[in-house]
Amino acid sequence: MLDIVAALLSALYWLLVVAIAAIMFPVAVLVWAITAPFDRRKVVLHALTNFWASLYTWLNPVWTVQVRGRERIEPGRTYVMVANHLSVVDIFVVHRLWRHFKWVSKIENFSLPFIGWNMRLNGYVPVRRGQRASVVEMFERCRRVLADGSSLVIFPEGTRGWPEKMKPWKPGAFELAKELDMPVLPIAIQGTATALPAKGVRIGAARMRMTLLPAIGVEQVRGLTVEELTELARGKVGGFMEAEPWPPPGAG
């Protein structure tokens, strides 16, 4: 009986996801058309996208999200933001930053009805895994985005990892940070693996937390090799999650 109820609730949630996307996308197109002449970085459209994505966490009765450390994003500062990756739901959670940024995401996501089309409107950066030409183009677009003053959010694991242990981090984000003299902002995401497992579409109860850790400043970025910078950022995220497990042990 519980399995039937869980399956029914999951089906209702995905219908809600589609319904919200169908409603929000025309609004996004209108905002894009109105603001395009003066909003080069699409700040207004991204703010709408933050609201759109946040609806998916607000309206799910079995999810809670805690965000800590927003104050570590300095106004007017551009960052290479790097986070561990546990679930598709991480994307919804990161939008709860309520700050301006661009995603780097696999190109297949840009073909999703409504949501993927909105990613294209926002000027997020696609990459086709395993194709060198696409990776080269992705890096060039990332350089333009950062030089233009928009932060980037990247999952250096590339694909979803495991709750118990992160996969190795790829160095691309850190190559960009060193090349462009950008600070690196590590982000720890916890609890999303139970919200939506890597395999399957069944929604689960989840207490989720996103914590922005102290940024690795430009001077430190300059003084480290790409490999050292990659391991430093990964170690900060991994060390935080080990020191502060979430949900706390024994929590109901």
Side-chain angles (χ1 to χ4, degrees):
M1 184 64 180
L2 289 177
D3 284 346
I4 295 174
V5 171
L8 178 60
L9 290 175
S10 294
L12 290 173
Y13 178 76
W14 288 116
L15 287 173
L16 179 68
V17 168
V18 173
I20 290 173
I23 293 168
M24 292 298 297
F25 181 67
V27 179
V29 172
L30 181 62
V31 169
W32 170 81
I34 292 172
T35 61
F38 61 86
D39 188 5
R40 184 185 71 255
R41 295 192 296 133
K42 301 179 176 61
V43 174
V44 177
L45 180 60
H46 179 78
L48 176 69
T49 302
N50 286 336
F51 173 75
W52 177 351
S54 296
L55 284 173
Y56 293 140
T57 59
W58 289 334
L59 297 178
N60 192 315
V62 298
W63 289 355
T64 63
V65 179
Q66 181 184 118
V67 181
R68 302 194 306 174
R70 284 194 190 95
E71 70 280 358
R72 289 186 167 130
I73 300 177
E74 297 180 22
R77 177 65 71 100
T78 305
Y79 296 90
V80 176
M81 302 180 182
V82 290
N84 61 303
H85 193 19
L86 298 171
S87 168
V88 171
V89 178
D90 296 343
I91 296 167
F92 301 156
V93 171
V94 171
H95 277 284
R96 295 279 294 267
L97 286 174
W98 290 101
R99 298 294 188 271
H100 182 69
F101 61 83
K102 305 287 188 186
W103 282 107
V104 177
S105 181
K106 62 182 181 180
I107 198 167
E108 290 83 358
N109 290 337
F110 289 77
S111 298
L112 293 172
F114 307 128
I115 292 174
W117 303 340
N118 181 60
M119 292 171 68
R120 291 188 182 277
L121 288 182
N122 271 278
Y124 299 157
V125 181
V127 61
R128 191 181 300 277
R129 293 175 184 160
Q131 290 195 6
R132 177 170 174 75
S134 177
V135 173
V136 170
E137 182 180 355
M138 178 269 290
F139 271 102
E140 184 54 39
R141 290 189 62 172
C142 286
R143 292 183 185 99
R144 292 199 298 268
V145 164
L146 290 166
D148 205 30
S150 294
S151 296
L152 278 175
V153 174
I154 300 174
F155 294 129
E157 288 170 278
T159 59
R160 284 165 284 183
W162 308 284
E164 301 83 8
K165 185 178 180 180
M166 285 184 292
K167 292 181 178 179
W169 281 19
K170 301 178 188 301
F174 308 98
E175 292 173 358
L176 285 167
K178 282 190 66 66
E179 179 183 338
L180 299 176
D181 264 354
M182 295 288 175
V184 174
L185 187 66
I187 300 173
I189 299 174
Q190 298 168 281
T192 56
T194 60
L196 181 63
K199 294 182 179 179
V201 295
R202 181 167 294 190
I203 302 299
R207 293 175 60 186
M208 300 176 278
R209 181 171 74 172
M210 174 173 59
T211 305
L212 282 70
L213 304 176
I216 303 170
V218 172
E219 290 300 324
Q220 193 171 10
V221 168
R222 290 173 182 165
L224 298 172
T225 66
V226 169
E227 293 75 16
E228 290 169 341
L229 181 57
T230 303
E231 287 308 308
L232 176 62
R234 183 179 184 273
K236 283 179 175 289
V237 172
F240 172 82
M241 293 193 296
E242 184 176 344
E244 295 195 27
W246 186 262

